Amino acid sequence: MATVYIGIDVGSISTKGVVLDDNFNVITYEYLRTKGRPIEAVLNLIKIFKERVGNNVKFGGVGTTGSGRRLAGVMIGADIVKNEIIAHAIAASHFYPNCQTVIEIGGQDSKIIILRNGIPVDFAMNTVCAAGTGSFLDHQAQRLGIPIEEFGKLALKAKTKVNIAGRCTVFAESDMIHKAQLGFPIESIIAGLCEAIVRNYLNVVAKGKDIKPLILFQGGVAANVGVREAFKKELKEEIIVPEYFLVMGAIGAAILAKEETNGRGSRFYGFGISNCEFNTKAIECNGCANRCEIIHTYRDNELIDIYGDRCGKWSGG
Amino acid sequence: MKAAFPYIGYHSIALKDFLTALGAKVCLPPPLTKRTLELGVKYSPEMVCLPFKITLGNFIEALEIGADTLFMATGARKCRFGYYSYLQEKILKELGYQFKFYSVSQYSPYEFVFEKMPQIFNVSPLKVLKALYLMIKKSELCENFKNSLRVIRAIDYQKSLIFEKEYLKKIEGVKKIKEINILNKELKELRKKWLKNNGIKLRVGLVGEIYFLLEDFANQELEKELSKFGVLVLSKRSLYSRLKHLLKMEPGFLKIYYYARKYLSVSPGGEALNTIGEAVNFIKKGVDGIIHIFPFTCMPENIALHSLEKISEDYNVPILSLSFDEHTSKTGLLTRIEAFLELLKRRKK
């Protein structure tokens, strides 16, 4: 029986999962939209993997990452729940051991990870504002009626250059509208937007970081060739988009799960959980004026987790 | 007089004793909660920094339970803090509350001792000096308490909860200088003893804006979260260090400023120079990393941030900068500190 490792990355916009074999080769992967329902997305992933992998496997380890990592971890019985920064770094140095910079732009956040000799040594992440991330691109593509998959390709067709203000998405949008009213072709405006996103990223997120080659570009936005080109132009370096750029976080989580279990076998509840029903219930605690929202998670009406209090009265620590 | 002041973490105990020693009845507002923040946000100018909003909420909750005299420090140089007290007084008056408001300048100690306090409390300057001495001693005690708490938290979180409760009561109880000295010694020895324990996995220096360094509610209990990972937090700034500095009793700051001046030749205001100098000092003492916390849009700390980037490069030590605004979800904070600590751990290996 083959041993497999599962990694799941629950992000704000998309939920990603991979199944790896013992040598960290990707057996299968899937990318789904979270659509604001992380529980459903995770169960769908498990269902898909059950169909593709079958029941005749041994689970070596399961890891979760991404902003929904905690909930996903509780649901499926993960061996390790790790933040996405480390997960991305681990996956990057697995495929490209001499990688020194990881650019990762996802749905709601963007980050830069600096690696030296395969070890993450520095990182930065956008803070209060989500300017220049995937969801903004998504929104603009929708507004212009262009499928997001085509968005980047259009940018490459631009013959002239248009400057778009990239500091803030609100300003960027009004700038785009204004330029369109002036009569600039849509390709040029999209190309301008891609450049603005890259400028914003380099000025805000990657500010002061020592960007050295090899540079990897991961996360959903790496699918956008327009942004890829803009990075290449701005950094004057080769930008590598790894084969599994969409699911690098999930791959990292699976690798970390193997490190964690170290051959002990997994806590994973098995593919069968895709038939279980998961519910969450939020109640407001009236113990003090903090009025924390306490999240109860149920599996088939059985309480499996309590989370969200500041004082530890509910969660016991 | 029912006096109230905004909380500044554990050091509030020293402020309370100071006012009590001068004859005031201190009216402590309820502990800081989401409600405090909501009240503060509701009545503050939108773009003002977070400490203004929280302390305003603090005042409103104090007035609600009957405070009639409010005390607020003022007098920062080239920073919005200089306007806090005046604006807060105006806002609270417009809300219809009846109260007396005293802005206490940090930079005029003589006026404070010989004029302002004697007038307000109708006492002699000697009594003010005595109360001031008590406050300094008490703030030293609070600092020693916090420093010991930091160590035990990093070693044994559950045990630290018991320690915290037990010693907070003791600290609040002692009023005589002699007793304070004994307790100070006791706390220092406990810290020394605990430091020998090898349960400490990482050491992190905490620098930044003073309100965020002192008030756990403002920094979303960052120190507690760090210690859950077995991290020993080192931090220099407190009411005690501030008082010593204002009364020119702290020679150590010369070194801090010397380190800072290499990166910033003039003070941009606030305590940016302290932030920069302390970061260098911590690094020289061998911490694994630096965490820098400040309110979103804080001008001096944003300037310090750029010097910190240079320091991180020069000394090859990671620095994590975190700015805080009024959002209350801890998720983003936890992701960042978890990744940062992981990175420190992997570097150490």
Side-chain angles (χ1 to χ4, degrees), chain A residues 112-150:
Chain A
I112 182 164
I113 309 164
I114 305 292
L115 298 120
R116 295 290 181 261
N117 305 316
I119 300 166
V121 291
D122 201 3
F123 75 92
M125 207 167 163
N126 61 334
T127 45
V128 182
C129 146
T133 55
S135 48
F136 176 59
L137 280 176
D138 235 15
H139 173 67
Q140 292 311 320
Q142 241 171 45
R143 193 174 65 82
L144 300 170
I146 300 164
I148 185 73
E149 293 77 15
E150 301 299 315

Side-chain angles (χ1 to χ4, degrees), chain A:
Chain A
M1 209 168 17
T3 307
V4 296
Y5 299 87
I6 299 175
I8 291 179
D9 178 356
V10 186
S12 54
I13 303 291
S14 58
T15 297
K16 287 90 40 179
V18 286
V19 181
L20 305 184
D21 71 11
D22 220 3
N23 299 318
F24 299 144
N25 297 312
V26 177
I27 298 172
T28 180
Y29 75 92
E30 191 54 58
Y31 176 96
L32 304 170
R33 293 254 161 176
T34 309
K35 292 182 186 154
R37 300 177 191 84
I39 294 180
E40 256 171 58
V42 170
L43 291 180
N44 278 340
L45 265 184
I46 299 289
K47 212 175 280 168
I48 291 167
F49 289 158
K50 185 180 166 186
E51 282 161 17
R52 292 191 194 158
V53 180
N55 274 330
N56 203 13
V57 286
K58 192 174 154 250
F59 299 107
V62 174
T64 59
T65 186
S67 47
R69 61 185 180 277
R70 202 184 167 279
L71 179 63
V74 169
M75 279 174 63
I76 64 176
D79 300 297
I80 192 163
V81 176
K82 256 287 147 41
N83 65 81
E84 52 273 33
I85 296 156
I86 296 299
H88 274 281
I90 295 287
S93 63
H94 170 67
F95 289 108
Y96 296 89
N98 49 355
C99 154
Q100 298 202 84
T101 309
V102 177
I103 296 169
E104 201 272 341
I105 307 185
Q108 280 289 334
D109 60 35
S110 47
K111 41 189 156 311
I112 182 164
I113 309 164
I114 305 292
L115 298 120
R116 295 290 181 261
N117 305 316
I119 300 166
V121 291
D122 201 3
F123 75 92
M125 207 167 163
N126 61 334
T127 45
V128 182
C129 146
T133 55
S135 48
F136 176 59
L137 280 176
D138 235 15
H139 173 67
Q140 292 311 320
Q142 241 171 45
R143 193 174 65 82
L144 300 170
I146 300 164
I148 185 73
E149 293 77 15
E150 301 299 315
F151 205 65
K153 283 180 209 149
L154 269 179
L156 297 186
K157 290 184 190 148
K159 290 191 181 75
T160 48
K161 241 186 90 181
V162 176
N163 253 322
I164 300 288
R167 162 127 305 200
C168 161
T169 52
V170 180
F171 296 157
E173 179 164 326
S174 29
D175 208 20
M176 284 172 72
I177 293 170
H178 179 64
K179 297 273 153 72
Q181 316 289 44
L182 284 176
F184 282 101
I186 198 79
E187 298 86 29
S188 300
I189 293 173
I190 294 175
L193 178 67
C194 292
E195 280 171 17
I197 281 173
V198 167
R199 259 199 329 270
N200 180 61
Y201 176 91
L202 293 175
N203 285 333
V204 178
V205 183
K207 204 183 164 305
K209 300 281 178 255
D210 192 10
I211 300 176
K212 282 187 181 166
L214 237 77
I215 305 169
L216 254 54
F217 185 14
Q218 311 179 166
V221 175
N224 186 312
V225 279
V227 179
R228 277 188 211 174
E229 278 306 305
F231 264 120
K232 209 182 204 170
K233 230 193 269 170
E234 197 70 34
L235 292 172
K236 296 180 185 69
E237 290 282 357
E238 190 70 34
I239 307 288
I240 295 171
V241 177
E243 187 184 352
Y244 301 109
F245 68 93
L246 273 178
V247 293
M248 290 295 265
I251 292 175
I255 295 175
L256 283 163
K258 187 179 178 184
E259 267 181 31
E260 176 73 19
T261 55
N262 200 13
R264 269 185 283 113
S266 178
R267 284 179 50 228
F268 180 48
Y269 301 142
F271 286 147
I273 56 154
S274 59
N275 300 322
C276 295
E277 201 177 313
F278 287 88
N279 284 307
T280 55
K281 204 171 76 184
I283 56 164
E284 202 179 76
C285 171
N286 289 319
C288 76
N290 270 324
R291 301 193 311 273
C292 296
E293 277 153 22
I294 318 294
I295 311 288
H296 291 67
T297 307
Y298 296 89
R299 182 182 58 223
D300 291 337
N301 297 324
E302 179 199 343
L303 182 66
I304 54 169
D305 186 47
I306 305 180
Y307 183 64
D309 51 344
R310 281 164 178 250
C311 65
K313 187 171 100 180
W314 297 78
S315 59

Side-chain angles (χ1 to χ4, degrees), chain B residues 84-334:
Chain B
Y84 270 27
S85 62
Y86 308 106
L87 195 54
Q88 287 179 331
E89 181 181 4
K90 200 166 148 34
I91 291 170
L92 293 169
K93 286 257 154 80
E94 276 173 12
L95 286 174
Y97 291 109
Q98 300 289 320
F99 58 91
K100 272 201 166 137
F101 196 98
Y102 293 109
S103 304
V104 183
S105 170
Q106 299 181 55
Y107 296 107
S108 34
Y110 297 108
E111 187 201 347
F112 178 82
V113 172
F114 293 104
E115 270 181 55
K116 194 138 191 174
M117 291 296 127
Q119 265 171 27
I120 297 171
F121 293 97
N122 197 16
V123 292
S124 66
L126 185 68
K127 194 158 182 196
V128 179
L129 277 174
K130 270 188 178 165
L132 189 61
Y133 185 60
L134 176 71
M135 171 156 72
I136 295 169
K137 275 293 176 189
K138 214 57 194 275
S139 65
E140 184 188 7
L141 187 59
C142 295
E143 177 162 287
N144 280 326
F145 165 68
K146 210 170 171 185
N147 281 337
S148 306
L149 181 63
R150 283 173 174 136
V151 186
I152 187 68
R153 260 185 189 163
I155 301 168
D156 186 340
Y157 187 75
Q158 289 304 325
K159 207 169 139 190
S160 80
L161 296 176
I162 302 163
F163 167 79
E164 186 178 1
K165 225 179 194 172
E166 187 188 325
Y167 273 82
L168 261 184
K169 215 180 243 165
K170 279 192 191 174
I171 288 169
E172 280 179 77
V174 289
K175 306 282 179 221
K176 291 202 182 87
I177 300 294
K178 222 176 175 179
E179 293 166 4
I180 294 175
N181 283 339
I182 294 171
L183 203 51
N184 258 330
K185 220 175 135 199
E186 193 180 319
L187 283 167
K188 272 188 181 162
E189 270 162 17
L190 273 177
R191 179 179 159 88
K192 230 185 240 163
K193 191 184 94 189
W194 287 334
L195 271 177
K196 285 182 191 140
N197 185 302
N198 47 16
I200 292 162
K201 296 187 185 94
L202 290 168
R203 300 198 312 149
V204 165
L206 194 62
V207 298
E209 193 272 335
I210 188 164
Y211 183 71
F212 273 81
L213 292 174
L214 293 182
E215 185 47 67
D216 288 346
F217 176 79
N219 65 40
Q220 302 192 359
E221 300 190 308
L222 173 69
E223 286 201 29
K224 238 185 216 173
E225 296 301 338
L226 286 170
S227 59
K228 284 182 189 165
F229 290 96
V231 173
L232 174 63
V233 178
L234 301 171
S235 181
K236 196 90 204 99
R237 216 95 50 80
S238 66
L239 177 66
Y240 181 53
S241 72
R242 190 81 201 128
L243 285 171
K244 276 199 302 184
H245 178 66
L246 293 172
L247 299 168
K248 315 257 183 292
M249 288 159 44
E250 191 202 21
F253 86 95
L254 286 174
K255 187 171 81 178
I256 299 294
Y257 279 14
Y258 169 70
Y259 288 151
R261 297 276 176 186
K262 282 188 179 165
Y263 291 91
L264 209 54
S265 55
V266 289
S267 167
E271 292 188 304
L273 289 183
N274 295 62
T275 293
I276 299 165
E278 283 165 15
V280 175
N281 197 36
F282 281 136
I283 291 171
K284 287 191 189 269
K285 280 185 177 163
V287 294
D288 300 293
I290 299 280
I291 296 184
H292 174 221
I293 54 175
F294 59 98
F296 186 57
T297 74
C298 172
M299 185 270 285
E301 292 300 328
N302 266 304
I303 293 174
L305 173 69
H306 293 273
S307 298
L308 290 178
E309 281 165 7
K310 188 83 187 28
I311 291 170
S312 172
E313 216 178 285
D314 288 354
Y315 292 92
N316 191 23
V317 170
I319 298 181
L320 176 69
S321 275
L322 298 165
S323 64
F324 290 81
D325 207 13
E326 60 206 57
H327 41 237
T328 47
S329 165
K330 254 190 189 177
T331 324
L333 177 73
L334 289 178

